Every structure is written in structure tokens, then in C-alpha cells.
Amino acid sequence: MSTVSEIFGSMVFNDITMREKLPKNTYKALKKTIQEGKELDISLANEIAHAMKDWAISLGVTHFTHWFQPMTGITAEKHDSFISPTEDGGVIMEFSGKNLIKGEPDASSFPSGGLRATFEARGYTAWDPTSYAFIKDGILCIPTAFCSYGGEALDKKTPLLRSMEAINREATKVLKILGIETSGVKTTVGPEQEYFLVDKALYDQRKDLIYCGRTLFGAPAPKGQELDDHYFGVIKPRVAAFMKELDEELWKLGVLAKTKHNEVAPAQHELAPIFTTTNIAADQNQLTMEIMKKVADRHGLVCLLHEKPFAGINGSGKHDNWSLSTNEGLNLLEPGKNPHENTTFLLFLSAVIKAVDDYQDLLRVSVASAGNDHRLGASEAPPAIISIFLGDELTRVLEAIESKSAYEDTPAGSMGIGVRFIPGIPMDTTDRNRTSPFAFTGNKFEFRSLGSTLSISGPNTFLNTMVAESLSVFAEKLEGTADVKAAVYDLVRETIRDHKRIIFNGDGYSAAWEEEAARRGLLNMKTTVDALPSLIAEKNIALFEKHHVYSACELHSRYEINMENYCKIVHIEALTMLEIARRQILPAVSSYAQSLAETVIEKRTVCASMPCKMEESLMTRISELTDQLYDEVAALDAAVASAEEKGDITLSGTAYKDEVIPAMNQLRKTADTLETLTADEYWPFPTYGELLFSV
Ligand code: ADP
Ligand code: MG
């Protein structure tokens, strides 16, 4: 048995391996290139490629791939072997610097939202040397960015890297004014990943799970999550075996898998890694989701990453814990013992507050998807309204600064700020702020609106850019002021005055908050279709262009892709419902009604006055509902056809939201009622009870 420290990172061409395998000068030159964010020179790339190939071959690798993250939100790879023919009819294993740094996949079938129709069909992949190469399933994977011929980002990594540069630039500027020298500032992220595990044999009998990743039918089981007995409960042996192997696989890949536990809903679990630099966290979260599915399969399980696999019980999210720190390790959101005197903290905190208020719409749209629409605002996940939770203590600090009154440190013995905020606060506030979409949790913010399937690249790209903008405004105001400290307090005061509407420490699930938020003028975009236009709002295009994160073109393409994706998802779900209703549910309920009818006939043959109350009334009810279901199938069919005919992606999206989804809901309601009336042996697929309680 190997120890964890032996297996950790064993499949990664990480810093330790590079130091060991690369000539000293090459290693140093690579580190320098990465640190300075410069382009890699080809002779250096050749040397690295050579060492990388030898290392990979020694671990049984035969192929390499440029591993990238197209706008589908998942990862893509195309495998090339290292072989190259020799004159004598043999082969040698080759991998050049050019192979390493640049690829040209024929990737024309990925969604580009019109970007490649306008420019060039070809797509290029380019190595992101700040994210280590790794071996997965015997393939050397090189994390890459994916761009068009004209340099337009066709992926999720490129804008994220650009946003990291933007925030680095602006934060460094601000720190310099504050008298803090640093070689750079990076954002850090720790994404907590929720998921469901279901038995594969049961999964295979459900077309909705197979095609859509979520159930489209299913009456509630008698037991759900009401006893709270699953949350943090003892992990069952089959799940524990899965989790153990998952940890090991992730550790091999250098993923800092740390915490695992059962979640609120039955069959729901969570994995949290230790935080790391944002682009690495994004790569690793994509890998984590992929490995979860693979490992589950080996245990006869299926890992569901959908945001809402089951109606009526909690869906799955992904908490994006975000902070920023200097390369030297100073966390800029660390309040310390005296936050009211910590100008650096106060300034960066203010930057986030201003950003979240100014760009609420961007945070909202960054988590918008058809799947996540089932969670946000459904009193299980944060509301669709974006607000910030700061906690009472920090709110008091800011209020004191705003009103220029002295901040009263809580008397000794009770909970002083330092004590409260450091180890105390995450525990103390979990219950109180669970409803907040964007909560300050000690020394970081936790953005809680992300759905479990989502690539974290998008939300973090937006967050980085928004905060970069606040910092840029702050830098301009602070530049050249004689008394920087006084100027910082003025800025903090101004920020609180102008943006305090975004701070809300209360219950985000309550109807009262929805009204209060409306009074405060906060946005409340309930669905993806409502949120998507924010991507192309003038103020947001200006923001992203100013910081060189997205061009207007790139944003328009993302609007198209996201709206189209919404339509396609709902379309597939509607078609799946139609198929299940027509080919499984209608025949099943009809057979059951027939068996009841036959029973009546047989009973009456024995004795003409035999009581048949149950059979007759049940048969009548089932027949009525069956006819209703039949009509609802036709109505859904018509709604889908009408949405498809709109000829405009925005109109289609609206039709899917306003017509197709309500028709789906209606159909489901009738089918679920039929399920409760139909004998078990006639029901054509596993029920909620079986799916949720069989593992
Ligand atoms: P909880 O949210 O349950 O209180 P933790 O405070 O331990 O748990 O952290 C949750 C997640 O936040 C973990 O993934 C952790 O690594 C991450 N995290 C902690 N500090 C930071 C930070 N400075 N930047 C980004 N993520 C962080
Ligand atoms: Mg958390």
C-alpha cells in the first residue's frame, strides 16, 4: 500500500517532477516565464516536451492530448499517439515543443455562437503552462486554451486567464498605493461539489436520467429529507468505497480532495477540495466531475451532477469560495484582529461590495442555466436576487465608518471581532447565512448560486473582472492623495453609502426579502431567459472590453450559445417526456385499467352481484387521468413545435420558458398522480423511493 504522500500528484508533471526531470536551467527559465507571464520560447518548449514525454512513457503513456474547455461547459480531448515512423519501418516516440505549446484540432463542431462563421473555421489550442500537465487513462493531458484564428476565445479558460490578469493588474496598482510591494495578486478558489449517487441498474431503466440527467417524472417517496437524517450521516459502505477510490484517483491527479460527507437529500453527497489558484481550481473541478462519474461506474453507481435530479428534495450546487491574495501569501480579505483599522482589508472588502452591487446582473447570469432555474429561489438554494451577507459584526464596523462614529470594540470576554471572524465565524454563521447567495465567511467570500454541473470558469471570470473594475476606480481616486489612510476611509464610507442596499444579513428565502429587495431596487431575474440579456448589456460589454476579458463579439457569441443551450435542454427534456408518456406510461396505465376491468368481469361471472367498488372507482379515476394525460401529451407536443418554429433564438427561449415548461409541469403532475394509483408491477420504471434509498 502506498501512502497518500506517495500517490499524491504521481500522475502530474508538477513542480516537483519538473525540478527532478528538467535540466536546472530549463526549469529555472520555465519558472521565470510563468512568473512573468511571458511567451514560452521554442527551444525551451522542446526541452520541456522531451522531459514530459519521457516521464509519461515511463508511466505507460502512448498518447497525448490538448485538453481544453469549449463552451459546452465540459472538457474536450483528441488523442494523438507519440509514434513517428522511422526509415527502417519502425517507430520512435516523438513529442516536440511545438506539439506541446500549440495544437490545431479540427474543432469546428463546437458551439462558437457565430464566432467562427465570422472569422475562421479553424480552432487553436495553446498550452496554459500555469496549469500542470497530467496523465489520465494512459493519456498525457496538456491543459490548453482554445481560440479561433483571429484570437477570439472559443473556450472558458481563455477569458478566465484574462480576468486573472485584469485583477492582478488592478490589485497590484492599489496595493502599491497602499505601500505594499508584491510580485502579483491572484485569486484563489475552493469549489465545494455536490452530487447524487444512484444505482446503475435502476438508472438504466430511466430514460429521463439517461437523456436528461434528471427525473422528469416521479411521485414523491413516502420519506424524503424531512428527518435531516442523511445530512452528515454515517456514510454507507458502498458510498464509502466510492469516496475512498475517488479520493485516491483525485490525489494522483494532484487534486487536493479534502472533505467528504453526506448532504441534505437522500443519496446526496459533497466533496470539497482545498483551495488553489483559480485557473487550476477550474481545471481540477472539471477533472473532479469527470472522475466522479468514472469511479461511480466502477462501483455499479451513477453520479448525477444535474442541479435538480429529483423534484421535491434539494438539488445540487457548487459553492465557489473565492478570495484574493498576493503571491507572497497575504490574503487581502483577511480581516485580522482589528478589521476597523485594517485599511487593506477594508479597501478590498469595499471593492467587492461595490462590484457585486454594480454588477448583480453579471453574477446572476454567470450561474444561469436551464438546470439551475429549478434551484434558485426555490428555498433550497439562494434566491435569484443577488445580495451580500457580511454578518452583524462586520456590518457594524462598516456602519461605524460610514457614520464617522467610533467603533466600539466588544468588551473583553464576549466575542471580539478577531475571535469572531477567525475560527468562529464559519461555524457561527452557517445556519444564519445559508440563504445568502454571496456570503463573507471569515477571510473569503462564498458564492453559493452556482449549480453543480457548471464550470466554475464563468462565474470566476465575471467576479474577477467586476472586482478589477472597482479596484481600478479606487486606484484612480487614491492615486496621488497626500493622506492615503484618510482617503481609504473616505472611499470605504462612500462605498457603504452608495452600495449598502446590496448588504443583507437576513433570511433570503422569505417572501419579505423579495419585497424588500424590490424596494431597494435590487434585480430579481428568476430564469435564465430573463438573465441572459445581461451578457450583452451595454455597461457589461464596456466593462469586459475595458479589462480585455471579452470583446463585444465574444459576449454576443456567449449570449447565443447560452440561449441556444437553454432551448436545446428544454427541447430534449420535452421530447423525453413525450416518449416516456406515450411509450411507457400510457401503455402501463391502460394495461392496469384493463386488468381491473378483467377482474370485474371475472368476479361478476362468479356472482353477478359481486361488489367491485374498488375496481370500478379506481378504473374510472385512472381512465379519466389517462385521457387527461393523453390530451396533455398533445398540448406539450404542440408547445414544442411552436417554440421550435419561432426562427429567433430569443423568441424560442421565451416560448420554451412560458409555454413548454408549463406544459411539461402539467403533464408531469397528471403522470405522477397516475403513478400513485397504479400497481407497482405495472409501473414501467423505478420510483423515487427505489432511486433514493437503494444505495
Ligand atoms: P466551510 O465553508 O464548511 O466553513 P471552509 O471554511 O473550510 O469550510 O472552506 C470551504 C472551502 O473554502 C474549502 O474548499 C476551502 O479550501 C476554501 N477556502 C478556504 N480559504 C480560502 C481562500 N482564501 N480562498 C479560496 N477558498 C478558500
Ligand atoms: Mg460552504
Side-chain angles (χ1 to χ4, degrees), residues 14 210 480:
N14 57 17
I210 293 173

Side-chain angles (χ1 to χ4, degrees), residues 188-192 272-276 321-324 331 426-427 430 441 443-444 446:
T188 49
V189 165
E192 301 166 55
I274 296 173
F275 70 95
T276 181
N321 294 275
W322 179 95
S323 190
L324 63 181
N331 181 348
M427 293 272 295
T430 323
T441 51
N443 58 6
K444 62 187 188 289
E446 186 168 344

Side-chain angles (χ1 to χ4, degrees), residues 257-478:
K258 174 86 175 161
T259 311
K260 50 187 180 184
H261 62 82
N262 286 350
E263 258 301 332
V264 172
Q268 192 186 29
H269 314 279
E270 181 183 297
L271 178 136
I274 296 173
F275 70 95
T276 181
T277 314
T278 306
N279 65 318
I280 296 171
D283 286 356
Q284 294 194 337
N285 181 251
Q286 293 296 124
L287 265 179
T288 301
M289 292 193 284
E290 182 184 329
I291 305 292
M292 278 178 165
K293 293 192 165 184
K294 282 190 181 146
V295 173
D297 192 59
R298 287 184 220 144
H299 291 257
L301 298 166
V302 176
C303 172
L304 302 177
L305 289 170
H306 195 283
E307 296 87 350
K308 189 73 179 175
F310 302 97
I313 58 170
N314 277 12
S316 298
K318 179 142 56 189
H319 291 174
D320 192 76
N321 294 275
W322 179 95
S323 190
L324 63 181
S325 72
T326 64
N327 287 343
E328 294 74 29
L330 173 69
N331 181 348
L332 299 169
L333 290 175
E334 173 60 61
K337 286 207 167 63
N338 299 307
H340 51 293
E341 281 162 21
N342 185 342
T343 39
T344 310
F345 166 70
L346 288 171
L347 194 65
F348 280 89
L349 178 71
S350 302
V352 177
I353 293 171
K354 173 176 161 56
V356 174
D357 187 30
D358 285 342
Y359 297 102
Q360 300 158 43
D361 53 343
L362 280 183
L363 279 188
R364 172 64 187 89
V365 74
S366 79
V367 297
S369 71
N372 215 19
D373 281 359
H374 300 290
R375 289 176 68 240
L376 298 183
S379 294
E380 56 161 280
I385 307 159
I386 299 289
S387 65
I388 299 181
F389 171 92
L390 285 182
D392 297 339
E393 218 55 39
L394 204 48
T395 305
R396 282 204 304 125
V397 170
L398 294 181
E399 276 167 359
I401 295 173
E402 190 201 0
S403 61
K404 291 194 176 181
S405 51
Y407 175 72
E408 293 279 322
D409 222 342
T410 333
S414 69
M415 297 211 285
I417 287 279
V419 182
R420 285 193 71 125
F421 281 114
I422 308 163
I425 211 162
M427 293 272 295
D428 279 349
T429 52
T430 323
D431 277 339
R432 282 190 294 136
N433 69 14
R434 178 177 278 172
T435 64
S436 175
F438 202 86
F440 184 73
T441 51
N443 58 6
K444 62 187 188 289
F445 277 98
E446 186 168 344
F447 184 22
R448 299 203 179 105
S449 309
L450 287 75
S452 46
T453 330
L454 190 69
S455 156
I456 61 169
S457 295
N460 286 297
T461 301
F462 286 21
L463 194 50
N464 291 347
T465 313
M466 291 155 44
V467 177
E469 170 61 14
S470 299
L471 293 171
S472 148
V473 172
F474 286 2
E476 238 167 74
K477 292 198 175 169
L478 293 174

